[in-house]
Every structure is written in structure tokens, then in C-alpha cells.
Amino acid sequence: MTNPLPEPTRRQGAETRRKLLDAASDVLATKGFEATRIDDVVAAAGVSHGTFYLYYANKEDILVALAEECTTQLSPLVAALAEVPADARGERIVRNWLTDYVAIHRSYGVVIRAWVDDFVDDERLAELGRNTLGVLATALGGRLRESHPDDAGTRLVALLALIERAPAVLATPEDRQAIDTLAAVIHRSFFATA
């Protein structure tokens, strides 16, 4: 079935949705979920309340839309981290992974925090979080059983905690020395053969 709307109307709708998502991401990152109001999002996007409600029912709805984008961005990273070799190439893969993860976290940190801290009561958001974080945990758990079969479960918990906190402790995404050091620690502690 073809879309009955003309191309300029579809393009304008996509641009408006993008403005709303970008504004929501900025406002949520600054104010947090609880303090954010629809008024804040529409002011930041430069649109009316009616326009907001044309696309989203409430702030949970827009957070779910951001979570869907976050999931799409994180999916390729999950596969890359699950395949880290034990040699020097693995440390480069972890470094590149961390750089990409920090960039995604800077854009979608509020979503990742909502998944980890479970502060939003929305089943759609919770399911996206369970799926995304569950796939990551499963992939990493399998990889850690290869390199550290005796304590893979304990290492998995530690690695997930480290990954979750990494963006908060890195001063800037361009902080190469910190990323290099963290990559070396993660690779040697979790991926190099015991």
C-alpha cells in the first residue's frame, strides 16, 4: 500500500518528529525525566503543543521513541563486543567500541538510565530495555565463558557495571588517554585468556 501523503508533507512530518526527538533528548538530559514537562520539549523544539500531541501521546511516548533509536544504534555494538579476540586486536576493538558507546550514551543517556534504574513505568520502554540489555548480557556472558570459565558470571556483572558507568567517568568523548586506559583494563581483565 502506498502512503497517501505527498512527499513534501511526509518529509516535513519526519523533520518535525526529528526536532521533537532532539529537543526531548536535550531537555531530558538536562532536567531528568521527572522534572521534564511537555512545555519544555515544545519550547526547545519551537513547535506548538498541538504539534507535539500529533506525534506523541506524552513524555513516556517520546522516551520510548528515543529508546527505539537507541536500540537500533546499540545493536551492532553488541555483536562487536561479543567477538573480541584475546590478542592485541581485541584491545583495539574494545577501544573503538568504547568510543562508539560513549557517543551513543551521550545522545541516549536518559534512555539507558531509564533501563538500568527502571524509573519509568512504561512496559514498552521496559521491554526494549530487557531486550537490548538482555542481548548484551547474553552475548558477553557467552564470550566471558570462553576466556574465564570459572568466574564468568562474576566478571559479567563487573563488566556490565563498568560499561554502564564508563560515560560518566570519561571527561569528554575525545579523551583518548582515558579511553585507551579503560580499553586496556577491560580487555585484559575480561577478554584476555586467564
Side-chain angles (χ1 to χ4, degrees), residues 100-159:
D100 292 344
Y101 176 72
V102 168
I104 290 169
H105 197 284
R106 292 203 189 284
S107 295
Y108 299 102
V110 70
V111 170
I112 295 168
R113 283 189 303 280
W115 287 338
V116 172
D117 298 338
D118 193 28
F119 62 77
V120 178
D121 188 26
D122 185 292
E123 185 52 37
R124 298 167 301 163
L125 183 67
E127 184 175 350
L128 280 168
R130 281 191 302 269
N131 291 343
T132 303
L133 299 178
V135 168
L136 176 62
T138 300
L140 285 175
R143 174 58 184 82
L144 290 174
R145 279 190 293 282
E146 294 172 17
S147 57
H148 298 85
D150 294 338
D151 62 352
T154 303
R155 286 179 189 260
L156 175 62
V157 170
L159 180 55

Short mmCIF file of all heavy atoms in Angstrom, two decimals, residues 100-159:
data_model
loop_
_atom_site.label_atom_id
_atom_site.label_comp_id
_atom_site.label_asym_id
_atom_site.label_seq_id
_atom_site.Cartn_x
_atom_site.Cartn_y
_atom_site.Cartn_z
N ASP A 100 32.47 4.45 20.47
CA ASP A 100 31.11 4.44 19.91
C ASP A 100 30.05 4.42 21.01
O ASP A 100 29.04 5.12 20.93
CB ASP A 100 30.91 3.24 18.99
CG ASP A 100 31.75 3.33 17.72
OD1 ASP A 100 32.23 4.44 17.40
OD2 ASP A 100 31.92 2.29 17.06
N TYR A 101 30.28 3.62 22.04
CA TYR A 101 29.31 3.53 23.14
C TYR A 101 29.16 4.85 23.87
O TYR A 101 28.05 5.28 24.19
CB TYR A 101 29.71 2.42 24.12
CG TYR A 101 28.80 2.34 25.31
CD1 TYR A 101 27.50 1.84 25.18
CD2 TYR A 101 29.20 2.80 26.55
CE1 TYR A 101 26.64 1.79 26.27
CE2 TYR A 101 28.35 2.75 27.64
CZ TYR A 101 27.07 2.25 27.50
OH TYR A 101 26.23 2.21 28.57
N VAL A 102 30.27 5.52 24.13
CA VAL A 102 30.22 6.81 24.82
C VAL A 102 29.43 7.81 23.98
O VAL A 102 28.62 8.58 24.50
CB VAL A 102 31.63 7.32 25.17
CG1 VAL A 102 31.61 8.77 25.60
CG2 VAL A 102 32.25 6.44 26.26
N ALA A 103 29.65 7.80 22.67
CA ALA A 103 28.91 8.72 21.78
C ALA A 103 27.41 8.42 21.83
O ALA A 103 26.58 9.34 21.93
CB ALA A 103 29.44 8.61 20.36
N ILE A 104 27.04 7.15 21.80
CA ILE A 104 25.62 6.78 21.87
C ILE A 104 25.06 7.16 23.24
O ILE A 104 23.97 7.70 23.34
CB ILE A 104 25.43 5.27 21.60
CG1 ILE A 104 25.72 4.97 20.13
CG2 ILE A 104 24.03 4.81 21.98
CD1 ILE A 104 25.81 3.50 19.80
N HIS A 105 25.83 6.92 24.28
CA HIS A 105 25.37 7.25 25.63
C HIS A 105 25.15 8.75 25.78
O HIS A 105 24.23 9.19 26.46
CB HIS A 105 26.35 6.74 26.67
CG HIS A 105 25.79 6.67 28.05
ND1 HIS A 105 25.60 7.79 28.84
CD2 HIS A 105 25.36 5.62 28.79
CE1 HIS A 105 25.08 7.43 29.99
NE2 HIS A 105 24.92 6.13 29.99
N ARG A 106 26.01 9.54 25.17
CA ARG A 106 25.84 11.00 25.24
C ARG A 106 24.54 11.43 24.57
O ARG A 106 23.93 12.41 24.98
CB ARG A 106 27.04 11.71 24.64
CG ARG A 106 28.28 11.49 25.49
CD ARG A 106 29.33 12.55 25.30
NE ARG A 106 30.57 12.19 25.96
CZ ARG A 106 30.77 12.25 27.27
NH1 ARG A 106 29.83 12.65 28.07
NH2 ARG A 106 31.94 11.92 27.78
N SER A 107 24.11 10.71 23.55
CA SER A 107 22.85 11.04 22.87
C SER A 107 21.64 10.43 23.56
O SER A 107 20.57 11.01 23.55
CB SER A 107 22.89 10.54 21.42
OG SER A 107 23.88 11.21 20.69
N TYR A 108 21.80 9.25 24.13
CA TYR A 108 20.66 8.50 24.67
C TYR A 108 20.85 8.10 26.12
O TYR A 108 20.27 7.12 26.59
CB TYR A 108 20.42 7.24 23.83
CG TYR A 108 20.10 7.53 22.39
CD1 TYR A 108 21.07 7.39 21.41
CD2 TYR A 108 18.83 7.96 22.02
CE1 TYR A 108 20.78 7.67 20.07
CE2 TYR A 108 18.54 8.24 20.69
CZ TYR A 108 19.51 8.09 19.73
OH TYR A 108 19.22 8.38 18.42
N GLY A 109 21.64 8.86 26.86
CA GLY A 109 21.91 8.52 28.26
C GLY A 109 20.66 8.40 29.10
O GLY A 109 20.56 7.52 29.95
N VAL A 110 19.68 9.27 28.86
CA VAL A 110 18.45 9.22 29.65
C VAL A 110 17.71 7.91 29.41
O VAL A 110 17.10 7.35 30.32
CB VAL A 110 17.54 10.44 29.37
CG1 VAL A 110 16.94 10.39 27.98
CG2 VAL A 110 16.46 10.56 30.42
N VAL A 111 17.78 7.38 28.20
CA VAL A 111 17.14 6.10 27.89
C VAL A 111 17.87 4.98 28.62
O VAL A 111 17.23 4.14 29.27
CB VAL A 111 17.16 5.84 26.37
CG1 VAL A 111 16.73 4.42 26.05
CG2 VAL A 111 16.28 6.85 25.64
N ILE A 112 19.18 4.97 28.53
CA ILE A 112 19.96 3.91 29.16
C ILE A 112 19.76 3.95 30.68
O ILE A 112 19.59 2.92 31.33
CB ILE A 112 21.44 4.00 28.75
CG1 ILE A 112 21.56 3.74 27.24
CG2 ILE A 112 22.30 3.02 29.54
CD1 ILE A 112 22.90 4.07 26.63
N ARG A 113 19.74 5.16 31.25
CA ARG A 113 19.49 5.28 32.70
C ARG A 113 18.09 4.78 33.04
O ARG A 113 17.88 4.15 34.08
CB ARG A 113 19.68 6.72 33.16
CG ARG A 113 21.16 7.10 33.29
CD ARG A 113 21.35 8.44 33.96
NE ARG A 113 20.69 9.54 33.31
CZ ARG A 113 21.14 10.19 32.23
NH1 ARG A 113 22.28 9.83 31.67
NH2 ARG A 113 20.46 11.20 31.71
N ALA A 114 17.11 5.06 32.18
CA ALA A 114 15.74 4.58 32.43
C ALA A 114 15.72 3.06 32.44
O ALA A 114 15.02 2.44 33.25
CB ALA A 114 14.77 5.13 31.38
N TRP A 115 16.47 2.43 31.55
CA TRP A 115 16.54 0.97 31.52
C TRP A 115 17.21 0.44 32.78
O TRP A 115 16.73 -0.49 33.41
CB TRP A 115 17.32 0.49 30.31
CG TRP A 115 16.61 0.64 29.01
CD1 TRP A 115 15.26 0.76 28.81
CD2 TRP A 115 17.20 0.68 27.71
NE1 TRP A 115 14.99 0.87 27.47
CE2 TRP A 115 16.17 0.82 26.77
CE3 TRP A 115 18.51 0.61 27.25
CZ2 TRP A 115 16.39 0.89 25.41
CZ3 TRP A 115 18.74 0.68 25.89
CH2 TRP A 115 17.70 0.81 24.98
N VAL A 116 18.35 1.00 33.12
CA VAL A 116 19.14 0.49 34.23
C VAL A 116 18.47 0.79 35.57
O VAL A 116 18.38 -0.07 36.44
CB VAL A 116 20.58 1.07 34.19
CG1 VAL A 116 21.35 0.71 35.44
CG2 VAL A 116 21.31 0.59 32.95
N ASP A 117 17.98 2.02 35.74
CA ASP A 117 17.40 2.43 37.02
C ASP A 117 15.91 2.16 37.13
O ASP A 117 15.34 2.29 38.20
CB ASP A 117 17.65 3.93 37.25
CG ASP A 117 19.13 4.25 37.33
OD1 ASP A 117 19.92 3.34 37.62
OD2 ASP A 117 19.50 5.42 37.10
N ASP A 118 15.28 1.82 36.01
CA ASP A 118 13.86 1.46 35.98
C ASP A 118 12.97 2.51 36.66
O ASP A 118 12.16 2.21 37.51
CB ASP A 118 13.66 0.10 36.66
CG ASP A 118 12.28 -0.49 36.38
OD1 ASP A 118 11.70 -0.20 35.32
OD2 ASP A 118 11.79 -1.25 37.24
N PHE A 119 13.16 3.79 36.24
CA PHE A 119 12.39 4.86 36.87
C PHE A 119 11.17 5.30 36.06
O PHE A 119 10.48 6.22 36.45
CB PHE A 119 13.28 6.07 37.19
CG PHE A 119 13.92 6.73 35.99
CD1 PHE A 119 13.19 7.56 35.15
CD2 PHE A 119 15.26 6.54 35.73
CE1 PHE A 119 13.78 8.17 34.08
CE2 PHE A 119 15.86 7.15 34.65
CZ PHE A 119 15.12 7.97 33.83
N VAL A 120 10.91 4.64 34.94
CA VAL A 120 9.74 4.98 34.14
C VAL A 120 8.85 3.75 34.06
O VAL A 120 9.30 2.67 33.69
CB VAL A 120 10.15 5.43 32.72
CG1 VAL A 120 8.92 5.74 31.89
CG2 VAL A 120 11.06 6.64 32.79
N ASP A 121 7.60 3.91 34.40
CA ASP A 121 6.66 2.80 34.42
C ASP A 121 5.95 2.70 33.08
O ASP A 121 4.81 3.12 32.93
CB ASP A 121 5.65 3.00 35.56
CG ASP A 121 4.77 1.78 35.75
OD1 ASP A 121 5.21 0.66 35.40
OD2 ASP A 121 3.65 1.94 36.26
N ASP A 122 6.65 2.20 32.08
CA ASP A 122 6.09 2.03 30.74
C ASP A 122 6.56 0.68 30.22
O ASP A 122 7.76 0.46 30.07
CB ASP A 122 6.55 3.17 29.82
CG ASP A 122 5.89 3.11 28.46
OD1 ASP A 122 6.19 2.17 27.69
OD2 ASP A 122 5.06 3.99 28.16
N GLU A 123 5.64 -0.22 29.98
CA GLU A 123 6.00 -1.58 29.59
C GLU A 123 6.76 -1.62 28.27
O GLU A 123 7.66 -2.44 28.10
CB GLU A 123 4.77 -2.48 29.53
CG GLU A 123 5.07 -3.93 29.25
CD GLU A 123 6.12 -4.57 30.18
OE1 GLU A 123 6.14 -4.26 31.37
OE2 GLU A 123 6.94 -5.37 29.69
N ARG A 124 6.43 -0.72 27.34
CA ARG A 124 7.15 -0.70 26.05
C ARG A 124 8.62 -0.38 26.29
O ARG A 124 9.51 -1.01 25.72
CB ARG A 124 6.55 0.34 25.10
CG ARG A 124 5.10 0.08 24.72
CD ARG A 124 4.49 1.30 24.05
NE ARG A 124 4.55 2.44 24.96
CZ ARG A 124 4.40 3.71 24.60
NH1 ARG A 124 4.17 4.02 23.35
NH2 ARG A 124 4.46 4.68 25.49
N LEU A 125 8.88 0.62 27.14
CA LEU A 125 10.25 1.01 27.45
C LEU A 125 10.97 -0.13 28.17
O LEU A 125 12.11 -0.46 27.87
CB LEU A 125 10.26 2.27 28.30
CG LEU A 125 11.63 2.83 28.65
CD1 LEU A 125 12.33 3.34 27.41
CD2 LEU A 125 11.50 3.92 29.68
N ALA A 126 10.30 -0.74 29.14
CA ALA A 126 10.90 -1.84 29.90
C ALA A 126 11.25 -3.01 28.99
O ALA A 126 12.32 -3.60 29.12
CB ALA A 126 9.94 -2.29 31.00
N GLU A 127 10.37 -3.33 28.04
CA GLU A 127 10.64 -4.44 27.13
C GLU A 127 11.83 -4.14 26.22
O GLU A 127 12.69 -5.01 26.01
CB GLU A 127 9.41 -4.76 26.29
CG GLU A 127 9.62 -5.96 25.40
CD GLU A 127 8.37 -6.37 24.65
OE1 GLU A 127 7.28 -5.85 24.95
OE2 GLU A 127 8.49 -7.22 23.76
N LEU A 128 11.91 -2.92 25.71
CA LEU A 128 13.07 -2.54 24.90
C LEU A 128 14.35 -2.67 25.71
O LEU A 128 15.36 -3.16 25.22
CB LEU A 128 12.92 -1.11 24.38
CG LEU A 128 12.03 -0.90 23.17
CD1 LEU A 128 11.74 0.59 22.96
CD2 LEU A 128 12.68 -1.48 21.92
N GLY A 129 14.30 -2.23 26.95
CA GLY A 129 15.47 -2.34 27.83
C GLY A 129 15.86 -3.77 28.11
O GLY A 129 17.04 -4.14 28.03
N ARG A 130 14.86 -4.59 28.44
CA ARG A 130 15.15 -6.01 28.72
C ARG A 130 15.76 -6.67 27.49
O ARG A 130 16.74 -7.42 27.60
CB ARG A 130 13.88 -6.75 29.11
CG ARG A 130 13.44 -6.55 30.55
CD ARG A 130 12.33 -7.50 30.95
NE ARG A 130 11.15 -7.39 30.12
CZ ARG A 130 10.12 -6.59 30.35
NH1 ARG A 130 10.11 -5.81 31.42
NH2 ARG A 130 9.08 -6.55 29.55
N ASN A 131 15.19 -6.39 26.33
CA ASN A 131 15.71 -6.99 25.10
C ASN A 131 17.12 -6.52 24.80
O ASN A 131 18.01 -7.33 24.54
CB ASN A 131 14.78 -6.70 23.92
CG ASN A 131 13.46 -7.42 24.03
OD1 ASN A 131 13.31 -8.37 24.80
ND2 ASN A 131 12.48 -6.97 23.30
N THR A 132 17.33 -5.22 24.83
CA THR A 132 18.65 -4.68 24.47
C THR A 132 19.71 -5.10 25.48
O THR A 132 20.76 -5.62 25.10
CB THR A 132 18.58 -3.13 24.39
OG1 THR A 132 17.58 -2.77 23.44
CG2 THR A 132 19.91 -2.55 23.97
N LEU A 133 19.44 -4.87 26.76
CA LEU A 133 20.43 -5.23 27.78
C LEU A 133 20.56 -6.74 27.93
O LEU A 133 21.64 -7.26 28.21
CB LEU A 133 20.06 -4.58 29.12
CG LEU A 133 20.03 -3.05 29.11
CD1 LEU A 133 19.61 -2.53 30.48
CD2 LEU A 133 21.36 -2.47 28.69
N GLY A 134 19.46 -7.46 27.71
CA GLY A 134 19.50 -8.92 27.78
C GLY A 134 20.36 -9.52 26.68
O GLY A 134 21.15 -10.44 26.94
N VAL A 135 20.25 -8.99 25.47
CA VAL A 135 21.08 -9.47 24.37
C VAL A 135 22.55 -9.19 24.66
O VAL A 135 23.42 -10.02 24.44
CB VAL A 135 20.63 -8.84 23.02
CG1 VAL A 135 21.64 -9.10 21.93
CG2 VAL A 135 19.26 -9.38 22.63
N LEU A 136 22.83 -7.99 25.18
CA LEU A 136 24.21 -7.64 25.53
C LEU A 136 24.74 -8.59 26.60
O LEU A 136 25.84 -9.13 26.47
CB LEU A 136 24.28 -6.19 26.01
CG LEU A 136 25.64 -5.71 26.51
CD1 LEU A 136 26.68 -5.76 25.39
CD2 LEU A 136 25.54 -4.31 27.07
N ALA A 137 23.97 -8.81 27.65
CA ALA A 137 24.42 -9.69 28.74
C ALA A 137 24.63 -11.11 28.25
O ALA A 137 25.61 -11.77 28.62
CB ALA A 137 23.41 -9.65 29.89
N THR A 138 23.74 -11.59 27.40
CA THR A 138 23.87 -12.96 26.87
C THR A 138 25.12 -13.09 26.01
O THR A 138 25.89 -14.05 26.15
CB THR A 138 22.61 -13.33 26.06
OG1 THR A 138 21.48 -13.27 26.94
CG2 THR A 138 22.73 -14.72 25.47
N ALA A 139 25.33 -12.11 25.13
CA ALA A 139 26.50 -12.15 24.25
C ALA A 139 27.79 -12.08 25.06
O ALA A 139 28.73 -12.86 24.83
CB ALA A 139 26.43 -11.02 23.23
N LEU A 140 27.84 -11.16 26.01
CA LEU A 140 29.05 -11.03 26.82
C LEU A 140 29.25 -12.25 27.72
O LEU A 140 30.38 -12.70 27.90
CB LEU A 140 28.97 -9.77 27.69
CG LEU A 140 29.19 -8.46 26.97
CD1 LEU A 140 28.96 -7.29 27.91
CD2 LEU A 140 30.58 -8.40 26.36
N GLY A 141 28.16 -12.77 28.26
CA GLY A 141 28.27 -13.96 29.10
C GLY A 141 28.88 -15.13 28.34
O GLY A 141 29.76 -15.83 28.85
N GLY A 142 28.43 -15.31 27.10
CA GLY A 142 28.99 -16.38 26.27
C GLY A 142 30.47 -16.17 26.00
O GLY A 142 31.28 -17.10 26.08
N ARG A 143 30.83 -14.93 25.70
CA ARG A 143 32.24 -14.62 25.41
C ARG A 143 33.11 -14.80 26.67
O ARG A 143 34.21 -15.34 26.62
CB ARG A 143 32.35 -13.20 24.87
CG ARG A 143 33.77 -12.68 24.65
CD ARG A 143 34.55 -13.58 23.68
NE ARG A 143 35.92 -13.13 23.55
CZ ARG A 143 36.91 -13.42 24.41
NH1 ARG A 143 36.67 -14.17 25.49
NH2 ARG A 143 38.12 -12.97 24.21
N LEU A 144 32.61 -14.37 27.81
CA LEU A 144 33.39 -14.49 29.06
C LEU A 144 33.54 -15.95 29.50
O LEU A 144 34.53 -16.30 30.13
CB LEU A 144 32.76 -13.65 30.17
CG LEU A 144 32.88 -12.14 29.97
CD1 LEU A 144 32.10 -11.40 31.04
CD2 LEU A 144 34.33 -11.70 29.95
N ARG A 145 32.58 -16.80 29.17
CA ARG A 145 32.73 -18.22 29.49
C ARG A 145 33.89 -18.84 28.72
O ARG A 145 34.50 -19.81 29.17
CB ARG A 145 31.42 -18.97 29.21
CG ARG A 145 30.41 -18.82 30.35
CD ARG A 145 29.22 -19.74 30.20
NE ARG A 145 28.38 -19.42 29.05
CZ ARG A 145 27.49 -18.42 29.02
NH1 ARG A 145 27.33 -17.65 30.08
NH2 ARG A 145 26.77 -18.20 27.95
N GLU A 146 34.21 -18.26 27.55
CA GLU A 146 35.37 -18.76 26.78
C GLU A 146 36.68 -18.39 27.46
O GLU A 146 37.58 -19.21 27.56
CB GLU A 146 35.36 -18.16 25.37
CG GLU A 146 34.24 -18.58 24.48
CD GLU A 146 34.23 -17.79 23.18
OE1 GLU A 146 35.25 -17.17 22.83
OE2 GLU A 146 33.17 -17.79 22.52
N SER A 147 36.80 -17.12 27.88
CA SER A 147 38.07 -16.64 28.42
C SER A 147 38.23 -16.90 29.92
O SER A 147 39.36 -17.04 30.40
CB SER A 147 38.25 -15.15 28.12
OG SER A 147 37.17 -14.40 28.65
N HIS A 148 37.13 -16.95 30.65
CA HIS A 148 37.19 -17.13 32.10
C HIS A 148 36.07 -18.05 32.57
O HIS A 148 35.12 -17.62 33.22
CB HIS A 148 37.08 -15.77 32.81
CG HIS A 148 38.18 -14.84 32.47
ND1 HIS A 148 38.16 -14.04 31.36
CD2 HIS A 148 39.38 -14.62 33.08
CE1 HIS A 148 39.28 -13.34 31.31
NE2 HIS A 148 40.04 -13.68 32.32
N PRO A 149 36.16 -19.33 32.24
CA PRO A 149 35.05 -20.25 32.53
C PRO A 149 34.74 -20.41 34.03
O PRO A 149 33.60 -20.67 34.39
CB PRO A 149 35.50 -21.57 31.93
CG PRO A 149 36.97 -21.45 31.73
CD PRO A 149 37.28 -19.99 31.60
N ASP A 150 35.72 -20.19 34.89
CA ASP A 150 35.49 -20.42 36.32
C ASP A 150 34.69 -19.32 37.01
O ASP A 150 34.02 -19.57 38.01
CB ASP A 150 36.83 -20.59 37.06
CG ASP A 150 37.55 -21.85 36.61
OD1 ASP A 150 36.87 -22.77 36.08
OD2 ASP A 150 38.77 -21.92 36.77
N ASP A 151 34.76 -18.10 36.48
CA ASP A 151 34.07 -16.99 37.15
C ASP A 151 33.41 -16.04 36.15
O ASP A 151 33.34 -14.83 36.38
CB ASP A 151 35.02 -16.24 38.09
CG ASP A 151 36.18 -15.59 37.36
OD1 ASP A 151 36.37 -15.84 36.16
OD2 ASP A 151 36.91 -14.80 38.01
N ALA A 152 32.91 -16.59 35.06
CA ALA A 152 32.31 -15.76 34.01
C ALA A 152 31.14 -14.93 34.53
O ALA A 152 30.98 -13.76 34.16
CB ALA A 152 31.86 -16.64 32.85
N GLY A 153 30.32 -15.49 35.39
CA GLY A 153 29.16 -14.77 35.91
C GLY A 153 29.54 -13.54 36.72
O GLY A 153 28.97 -12.46 36.56
N THR A 154 30.53 -13.69 37.58
CA THR A 154 31.00 -12.57 38.39
C THR A 154 31.62 -11.51 37.51
O THR A 154 31.37 -10.31 37.68
CB THR A 154 32.03 -13.06 39.43
OG1 THR A 154 31.42 -14.07 40.22
CG2 THR A 154 32.53 -11.92 40.29
N ARG A 155 32.42 -11.94 36.55
CA ARG A 155 33.04 -10.98 35.63
C ARG A 155 31.99 -10.27 34.78
O ARG A 155 32.14 -9.09 34.47
CB ARG A 155 34.06 -11.69 34.74
CG ARG A 155 35.33 -12.03 35.48
CD ARG A 155 36.32 -12.76 34.57
NE ARG A 155 37.42 -13.27 35.34
CZ ARG A 155 38.62 -12.68 35.43
NH1 ARG A 155 38.85 -11.56 34.80
NH2 ARG A 155 39.57 -13.22 36.16
N LEU A 156 30.94 -10.96 34.40
CA LEU A 156 29.88 -10.33 33.61
C LEU A 156 29.24 -9.18 34.38
O LEU A 156 29.06 -8.09 33.84
CB LEU A 156 28.81 -11.36 33.21
CG LEU A 156 27.60 -10.79 32.48
CD1 LEU A 156 28.01 -10.15 31.16
CD2 LEU A 156 26.58 -11.90 32.25
N VAL A 157 28.92 -9.41 35.65
CA VAL A 157 28.32 -8.35 36.48
C VAL A 157 29.27 -7.16 36.56
O VAL A 157 28.86 -6.00 36.40
CB VAL A 157 27.97 -8.89 37.88
CG1 VAL A 157 27.58 -7.76 38.81
CG2 VAL A 157 26.86 -9.93 37.78
N ALA A 158 30.56 -7.43 36.79
CA ALA A 158 31.54 -6.35 36.91
C ALA A 158 31.69 -5.60 35.58
O ALA A 158 31.75 -4.36 35.56
CB ALA A 158 32.88 -6.92 37.35
N LEU A 159 31.73 -6.33 34.48
CA LEU A 159 31.89 -5.68 33.17
C LEU A 159 30.69 -4.82 32.83
O LEU A 159 30.83 -3.69 32.35
CB LEU A 159 32.14 -6.73 32.09
CG LEU A 159 32.31 -6.18 30.66
CD1 LEU A 159 33.43 -5.14 30.59
CD2 LEU A 159 32.57 -7.33 29.70
#
